[in-house]
Amino acid sequence: MNQPLSVSTLNNQIKSLLETTFIGVYVQGEISNLTYHSSGHIYFSIKDENSTLSCVMFKGNAQYLKFRLEVGMKILISGSITAYIPRGNYQLMCTKIEPDGQGSLALAFEQLKEKLQKEGLFDLRIKKTLPKYPKNIVIVTSPTGAAIEDMKKVAQNRWPLVNLILIPTLVQGEGSKVNIANSIKKADSLNCDIMIVGRGGGSIEDLWAFNEEIVARAIFEAKTPVISAVGHEVDFLISDFVADVRAATPSNAIEIALPDKNEHLLYLDNLREEFSNRFKRVLFNKEQVVLNYKKYFEQHSLDKKFSFVQKEIDYLKSNFTNSFSQILRQKQNELTQLKNTYEANHPDKKIKDGYVQVSKNNHIISLDSVKINEQITLETTKLSVTCNILDIKQI
């Protein structure tokens, strides 16, 4: 009869068999019973239509997981089977987990983007405005990359007055996300006008540090306006959504941050020309005003007034002379007419021989009005005869 085995012995034999047989397995399933432990380990189960398998991912591997596991998510697991002797059960120890049908980085990007968006880190209403003429720009990037040289060149050509301050930063690889976050905080403490955070192009893995939550929160908490300038124009990262302004490239970040000296020189030329034209117009208008005043003063000068008064005097004098002459002629004519009338009616010419003037009481009367026994006077130019009427006969 066989010697019976202890439970521990049997479990050890099962453990040895499982762990030597299922060294590397690749399993597909749906997550259930998910627990993120405070120790950093992740405990969960995967299942299909017919069965369930317990899984664990220890902290050492879990820290490299780019996305967050969620119940109901379908995943692909690489790992090995291990047995836990005290409870006599086995589980899948995961070394690598990928989302089924979608890359882990893409999923991690969407998960973090959704999370931060819900928290309001992308809200356009809280975006800070870039100053128009920055004096100091701090740049968080690698001191050896092509990006910093490109930015220096563009800044020199665009606006040489700006002062660029470089915060040397590790922008990819192990520890880069922490280094970038710390550099952002240091840059923010310098009280510069603008902060540029970025690097040149690369693969999604190379750029991944700018998709990390610690970097996103450092950008969000910065008091300095931040321009995110990572990779090329087609690259969109979490830092782009959190930053106040997104630039397509590091060179484009400088173009956004700085005014263009050539545009300002052209503006100054136009301003100078416009000033010159306006000055000429103002000068011409003032000259016309002066000329108008000159004409006005000439028209109202003492000479003009004296000339006008003299003309008035001459006119009055001429008018008086003409009027006086006319009146004189008129009076002369009247006098001549009176003379002629007088001469025509003079008694010497008017009374002929045999004719006398009959008067009574010094009033000339008609001979027809005399009466018998009246006393009348008969006068010529030389004699006056008083007589009585003795008889009156009709002829």
Side-chain angles (χ1 to χ4, degrees), residues 199-224:
R199 54 156 291 164
S203 65
I204 185 62
E205 289 79 8
D206 293 337
L207 306 179
W208 190 255
F210 295 91
N211 279 328
E212 296 287 356
E213 184 173 355
I214 187 174
V215 174
R217 295 196 180 279
I219 293 174
F220 179 75
E221 293 168 2
K223 301 296 185 294
T224 308

Side-chain angles (χ1 to χ4, degrees), residues 87-156:
R87 286 203 296 267
N89 57 9
Y90 68 92
Q91 59 189 0
L92 177 59
M93 186 171 61
C94 308
T95 56
K96 184 178 180 181
I97 301 176
E98 294 286 339
D100 188 8
Q102 184 181 17
S104 61
L105 295 182
L107 179 59
F109 177 86
E110 293 300 331
Q111 286 180 333
L112 182 58
K113 179 181 175 183
E114 182 180 359
K115 175 184 177 182
L116 299 182
Q117 188 171 17
K118 288 180 179 179
E119 292 183 24
L121 272 67
F122 303 163
D123 194 341
L124 296 178
R125 293 173 296 180
I126 61 175
K127 300 293 184 184
K128 295 180 284 294
T129 303
L130 301 181
K132 192 171 183 179
Y133 299 101
K135 295 180 179 179
N136 298 294
I137 295 179
V138 59
I139 302 174
V140 176
T141 191
S142 170
T144 59
I148 185 62
E149 298 303 323
D150 291 341
M151 286 190 278
K152 288 180 180 178
K153 190 179 299 182
V154 174
Q156 183 62 31

